[in-house]
Amino acid sequence: MSTDLARSRPSVGAIWRRNLLVWAALLMLLVLTWTLAYVPLGAANLVVSLAIATIKVALVAVLFMELIHDSALIRIVAITGLFWLAVLFLLTFADVVTRPG
Amino acid sequence: MTDAALREPWEEIGRQREAATLGIWVFLASEVLFFGGLFAGYAVARLLNGSEFIDAMRHTDIWYGTVNTAVLLTSSLTMAVAAQTAGAGYRSMARRCFVATAALGLLFLVLKGFEYHKDIVDGLAPGAQFMLRPAAAQVFFSFYWVMTGLHAVHLVIGIVLVSRLAVLSARTAFPLQSSPQIEVTALYWHLVDVIWIILYPLLYLGGRA
């Protein structure tokens, strides 16, 4: 099983640069979602803000949390958390939206 | 020469690191479900309570919320750099980044404290003095106080863990490059950030248009 030690050693500058890029994207998405909150889009306001939040979460999970470098086993465990969250929402809403009256 | 970070039952440090990463992701998945229960409750409450629920959201302070989001995103930056420089053996940079991460976490808590004070003064805390009339506003602010409070508890734990690494990384005897503790702490920290990334639109961005 290869470890981080087996890869060639990046410079401090290279480490900062690649992470600053992710951070810049996250901040731009923050400015975007904050700005769009003031634009009247009706029901789409919620969808848009959650979609942007999802992109931010994906950036943090894949790049900062390094899922991009991890083995399939780790990725499966990470996805599993989301899977069971989806089950929670699915079953909860299946109840709530189908209530009579 | 066995690695200083190697523990039983592992015979190879790579396997130990993989096991630690697996373990923390399983824990993070449980944390996702932990907050997920609150998220689902919020979603149902928002669905069933209509416009008064969202009207109540206008009373949260979007400046505090947005600045705090930026603070946590930056703390994830410093945490990622800390973890990666530690893994590459840059002890001094890693230590400085652990300190920066903990400091940013503390900054979030300080700002949150000021925000909570303002919320209380504005009559938004639970109790007889709650100043918004609709019942849906009480429901919204119940979620606000519980979700941000629970998040803050998690953040305090994160700050303690990161501060511990800031101290340990100053000791040359500590196997910074191979110890699984750095990645475990970093992943926990990023999750605290992720939870806030989701809380921000749910608690601050509705009802502004």
Side-chain angles (χ1 to χ4, degrees):
Chain A
M1 185 107 233
S2 71
T3 68
D4 300 301
L5 304 171
R7 296 196 203 99
S8 59
R9 192 193 200 216
S11 68
V12 170
I15 291 173
W16 267 108
R17 264 190 301 278
R18 68 191 185 207
N19 286 292
L20 275 168
L21 269 170
V22 180
W23 175 73
L26 286 168
L27 284 189
M28 283 195 289
L29 287 168
L30 176 62
V31 170
L32 179 67
T33 196
W34 168 59
T35 311
L36 284 176
Y38 291 97
V39 175
L41 300 167
N45 275 115
L46 178 64
V47 174
V48 162
S49 66
L50 287 179
I52 293 173
T54 304
I55 297 169
K56 287 158 82 182
V57 168
L59 281 172
V60 172
V62 172
L63 296 172
F64 280 164
M65 296 173 93
E66 299 191 26
L67 282 176
I68 196 170
H69 292 309
D70 282 329
S71 63
L73 177 64
I74 304 295
R75 293 178 190 173
I76 287 169
V77 173
I79 287 288
T80 302
L82 286 180
F83 170 77
W84 284 108
L85 185 68
V87 170
L88 173 68
F89 269 78
L90 183 71
L91 294 181
T92 301
F93 275 85
D95 176 324
V96 170
V97 303
T98 57
R99 288 178 187 172
Chain B
M1 180 79 179
T2 51
D3 196 301
L6 190 65
R7 297 278 176 275
E8 289 197 338
W10 296 281
E11 294 178 354
E12 200 252 314
I13 191 69
R15 297 282 288 178
Q16 182 178 334
R17 289 174 61 89
E18 179 84 351
T21 302
L22 175 66
I24 187 65
W25 271 109
V26 171
F27 175 65
L28 296 188
S30 78
E31 288 276 78
V32 164
L33 266 301
F34 185 27
F35 276 90
L38 285 170
F39 292 148
Y42 171 96
V44 172
R46 185 164 174 159
L47 179 74
L48 295 182
N49 276 285
S51 63
E52 287 172 333
F53 185 89
I54 297 167
D55 288 344
M57 200 184 316
R58 285 207 227 102
H59 295 269
T60 58
D61 192 315
I62 196 168
W63 289 106
Y64 276 118
T66 308
V67 169
N68 261 344
T69 308
V71 166
L72 275 190
L73 291 176
T74 310
S75 76
S76 266
L77 164 70
T78 55
M79 186 79 246
V81 174
Q84 289 164 36
T85 50
Y90 300 113
R91 189 173 287 268
S92 170
M93 178 56 73
R95 188 180 54 79
R96 279 183 273 158
C97 287
F98 288 135
V99 171
T101 305
L104 286 164
L106 279 170
L107 175 61
F108 180 100
L109 287 179
V110 166
L111 292 173
K112 198 84 201 119
F114 282 115
E115 184 185 3
Y116 275 168
H117 173 80
K118 180 172 176 289
D119 291 334
I120 292 167
V121 163
D122 287 351
L124 297 171
Q129 82 295 339
F130 188 75
M131 63 86 136
L132 298 174
R133 306 208 72 237
Q138 293 181 26
V139 176
F140 171 79
F141 273 98
S142 299
F143 279 102
Y144 169 81
W145 286 104
V146 170
M147 294 207 285
T148 58
L150 186 62
H151 173 265
V153 167
H154 280 75
L155 185 61
V156 167
I157 293 167
I159 293 168
V160 169
L161 292 175
V162 173
S163 302
R164 176 182 170 271
L165 286 183
V167 169
L168 280 177
S169 59
R171 301 179 190 168
T172 49
F174 181 73
L176 187 70
Q177 200 167 352
S178 55
S179 172
Q181 296 177 27
I182 288 86
E183 184 164 356
V184 166
T185 304
L187 288 173
Y188 177 81
W189 187 270
H190 291 308
L191 182 82
V192 175
D193 184 22
V194 161
I195 290 163
W196 184 262
I197 288 171
I198 300 168
L199 285 183
Y200 172 66
L202 296 183
L203 299 178
Y204 292 96
L205 295 186
R208 305 283 174 187

